[in-house]
């Protein structure tokens, strides 16, 4: 019996991704909203961003670290998710609807050393409980009045 669809062989998510980046380089991978406009991001552009961020994660020593993410569904979330697993770190996706104590329960149980959050969910983070040993990044730019905890821009 002949296969209904031709299926590519791969062993890892990274291998699947690399194949897709090569096969579909100039095709749209994502439709991204910037301001009031949407634009297509090609697989090539996505791959360039992914590789740059993987290198940044490795340079920061995040290999085999646990990285928590609290965010709405958006391109930067997908980029972070794939970067984390492709750079040898462990992604800890945290439901953005959880209460502060539950978010921190997950962060502590998972022993996350990095937290990436979007601006909307910063109020859900208890920075006193989080401590100083966790690197915190925000997907969105913050002005001084919003950044009393010295959160880095992602």
């Amino acid at each position: 019996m002949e296969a209904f669809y031709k299926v590519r062989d791969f062993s890892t998510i990274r291998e699947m991704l690399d194949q897709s980046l090569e096969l579909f380089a100039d095709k749209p991978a994502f439709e991204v909203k910037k301001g009031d406009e949407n634009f297509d991001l090609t697989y090539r552009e996505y791959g360039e961003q992914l590789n740059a961020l993987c290198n940044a994660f490795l340079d920061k020593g995040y290999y085999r670290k646990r990285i928590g993410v609290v965010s709405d569904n958006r391109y930067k979330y997908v980029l972070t998710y794939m970067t984390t697993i492709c750079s040898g770190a462990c992604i800890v996706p945290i439901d953005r609807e959880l209460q502060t104590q539950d978010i921190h329960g997950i962060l502590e149980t998972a022993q996350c050393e990095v937290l990436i959050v979007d601006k909307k969910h910063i109020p859900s983070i208890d920075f006193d409980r989080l401590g100083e040993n966790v690197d915190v990044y925000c997907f969105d730019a913050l002005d001084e009045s919003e950044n009393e905890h010295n959160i880095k821009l992602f």
Side-chain angles (χ1 to χ4, degrees):
M1 183 172 177
E2 193 174 322
F4 193 67
Y5 291 104
K6 185 176 178 182
V7 178
R8 294 179 282 142
D9 288 329
F10 56 87
S11 300
T12 65
I13 291 175
R14 181 64 199 223
E15 189 177 327
M16 178 199 66
L17 181 61
D18 287 341
Q19 288 177 11
S20 296
L21 294 174
E22 184 177 326
L23 286 169
F24 309 116
D26 296 320
K27 295 188 180 189
F30 296 94
E31 185 175 337
V32 180
K33 184 172 186 161
K34 191 169 192 174
D36 291 334
E37 294 188 32
N38 293 347
F39 66 94
D40 287 337
L41 189 74
T42 66
Y43 277 88
R44 176 177 287 113
E45 293 166 324
Y46 171 58
E48 289 168 356
Q49 291 179 10
L50 180 75
N51 287 328
L53 200 50
C54 278
N55 288 333
F57 274 28
L58 294 172
D59 288 346
K60 290 190 172 294
Y62 294 159
Y63 178 71
R64 295 194 177 231
K65 303 290 184 190
R66 293 174 186 95
I67 299 175
V69 181
V70 181
S71 174
D72 287 337
N73 186 10
R74 59 194 284 186
Y75 170 69
K76 286 185 178 182
Y77 180 91
V78 174
L79 180 63
T80 300
Y81 192 100
M82 291 304 290
T83 296
T84 301
I85 60 176
C86 289
S87 65
C90 176
I91 188 77
V92 181
I94 301 171
D95 186 341
R96 65 187 188 273
E97 302 287 325
L98 291 176
Q99 299 294 317
T100 298
Q101 66 269 18
D102 297 323
I103 291 172
H104 283 277
I106 293 169
L107 290 169
E108 291 164 4
T109 300
Q111 299 175 345
C112 291
E113 296 180 53
V114 180
L115 174 62
I116 303 171
V117 64
D118 59 16
K119 184 177 182 176
K120 179 178 173 183
H121 296 97
I122 289 174
S124 299
I125 306 303
D126 179 347
F127 287 89
D128 292 330
R129 183 172 174 185
L130 194 59
E132 295 180 9
N133 295 327
V134 177
D135 291 342
V136 182
Y137 296 89
C138 184
F139 286 137
D140 311 293
L142 302 171
D143 61 40
E144 267 186 54
S145 66
E146 298 172 304
N147 199 5
E148 66 184 273
H149 302 289
N150 199 25
I151 301 168
K152 299 169 205 78
L153 179 61
F154 181 80

